[in-house]
């Protein structure tokens, strides 16, 4: 087999949460370009009405749209049931969706904490367990989490987000420990500071924006497209011996 063939995803189906914009849209587009059909999940997603669907179909792949509020546990279980009823298999699960709510820790309300943990940790856990058990039955599968620099660092004014992303890093390792020997690889990508809706406030902050930029060795904020290569790698045969890894795509931030 030619080495580039290891990155092909022909015949695979990938479910990508939070797929309508930013990093999730870039991930879905990359997986489609590599050959996978895409099951897109987002709270506001509607069939035939999204840019990500156009990305996927332009690449010659099928796109199935599902609307789901991942912060509501009942909706998450309904998603699993509907997807399993309509699709033979989910070969690749990308747990990308997440939210961030900012307020100093001493003022951080319970509803902020609960909303962030439900979307960023509880929903990915349920999806990984439910789709993962079917991967284990088949003896093959790929699960990719979107982690964060705050998987390693504490951040400022985002205690719920930092806690959720720290937990994601440990969940990746816990699942990898149990499933690597059964043909299912579980890994994460930790993006650096990427120019998305989630980072608009930071980029526009007259103090923190320049401070962050000055600390990035690459000398720029990342773009969603910077995550595409890592996504295809972790979704493909090329990463069959990679398990429990958290791959930073951060312009060198963590090495500074």
């Amino acid at each position: 087999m030619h080495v580039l063939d290891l990155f092909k995803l022909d015949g695979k189906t990938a479910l990508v949460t939070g797929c309508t914009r930013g990093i999730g849209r870039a991930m879905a587009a990359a997986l489609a370009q590599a050959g996978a059909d895409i099951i897109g999940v987002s709270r506001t997603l509607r069939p035939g009405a999204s840019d990500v669907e156009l990305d996927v179909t332009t690449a010659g792949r099928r796109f199935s749209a599902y609307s789901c509020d991942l912060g509501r546990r009942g909706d998450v279980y309904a998603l699993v049931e509907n997807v399993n009823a309509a699709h033979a298999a989910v070969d690749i699960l990308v747990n990308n969706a997440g939210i961030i709510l900012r307020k100093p820790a001493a003022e951080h309300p319970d509803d902020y904490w609960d909303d962030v943990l439900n979307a960023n940790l509880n929903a990915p856990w349920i999806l990984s367990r439910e789709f993962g058990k079917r991967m284990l039955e088949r003896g093959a599968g790929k699960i990719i989490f979107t982690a964060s620099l705050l998987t390693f660092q504490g951040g400022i004014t985002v205690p719920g987000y930092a806690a959720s992303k720290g937990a994601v890093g440990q969940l990746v390792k816990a699942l990898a420990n149990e499933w690597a020997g059964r043909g299912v690889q579980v890994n994460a990508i930790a993006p650096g500071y990427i120019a998305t809706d989630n980072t608009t406030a930071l980029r526009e902050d007259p103090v923190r924006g320049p401070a962050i930029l000055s600390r990035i060795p690459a000398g720029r904020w990342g773009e969603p497209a910077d995550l595409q290569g890592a996504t295809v790698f972790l979704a493909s045969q090329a990463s069959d011996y990679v398990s429990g890894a958290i791959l930073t795509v951060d312009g060198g931030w963590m090495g500074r």
Side-chain angles (χ1 to χ4, degrees):
M1 179 182 291
H2 192 282
V3 67
L4 293 181
D5 291 334
L6 294 174
F7 294 86
K8 292 180 178 179
L9 300 175
D10 298 348
K12 302 295 185 182
T13 297
L15 188 154
V16 183
T17 68
C19 68
T20 58
R21 59 189 183 181
I23 291 172
R25 178 183 173 188
M27 287 174 155
L31 295 170
Q33 290 168 23
D37 293 326
I38 304 299
I39 300 169
V41 178
S42 182
R43 186 172 59 84
T44 59
L45 191 59
R46 297 291 183 271
S50 67
D51 291 333
V52 66
E53 180 166 353
L54 181 60
D55 294 340
V56 172
T57 56
T58 298
R61 308 313 308 167
R62 291 189 295 271
F63 183 84
S64 302
Y66 289 84
S67 175
C68 179
D69 183 349
L70 294 171
R72 298 171 61 91
R73 184 164 297 191
D75 289 5
V76 177
Y77 280 108
L79 171 68
V80 172
E81 182 177 353
N82 292 335
V83 168
N84 283 337
H87 301 272
V90 172
D91 303 292
I92 303 155
L93 171 62
V94 182
N95 286 311
N96 169 71
I99 64 172
I100 185 167
L101 297 174
R102 302 177 185 277
K103 195 172 282 285
E107 304 164 16
H108 209 79
D110 289 348
D111 59 331
Y112 274 30
W113 178 272
D114 292 342
D115 288 349
V116 169
L117 268 291
N118 282 334
N120 294 8
L121 181 61
N122 295 340
W125 155 242
I126 293 169
L127 295 177
S128 298
R129 183 188 64 204
E130 296 304 309
F131 291 119
K133 65 178 63 175
R134 293 197 169 205
M135 294 177 182
L136 293 170
E137 291 171 358
R138 297 191 302 273
K142 302 281 186 174
I143 299 177
I144 304 168
F145 287 78
T146 297
S148 168
L149 293 181
L150 298 197
T151 300
F152 312 101
Q153 300 173 325
I156 300 172
T157 74
V158 287
Y161 184 83
S164 71
K165 292 301 185 178
V168 161
Q170 292 303 103
L171 180 57
V172 165
K173 297 171 188 176
L175 294 177
N177 287 343
E178 293 193 36
W179 294 355
R182 300 175 65 184
V184 177
Q185 290 80 51
V186 184
N187 295 287
I189 299 171
Y193 285 95
I194 309 297
T196 67
D197 291 348
N198 273 355
T199 60
T200 298
L202 284 177
R203 285 182 285 120
E204 294 179 351
D205 187 301
V207 176
R208 295 199 65 207
I212 288 169
L213 181 59
S214 69
R215 192 187 184 282
I216 302 172
R220 66 175 177 88
W221 285 69
E223 298 293 336
D226 290 318
L227 283 298
Q228 290 183 308
T231 302
V232 172
F233 168 61
L234 291 178
S236 70
Q237 284 181 276
S239 63
D240 278 356
Y241 200 59
V242 179
S243 196
I246 302 172
L247 175 58
T248 55
V249 182
D250 63 355
W253 177 280
M254 287 301 296
R256 188 91 180 222

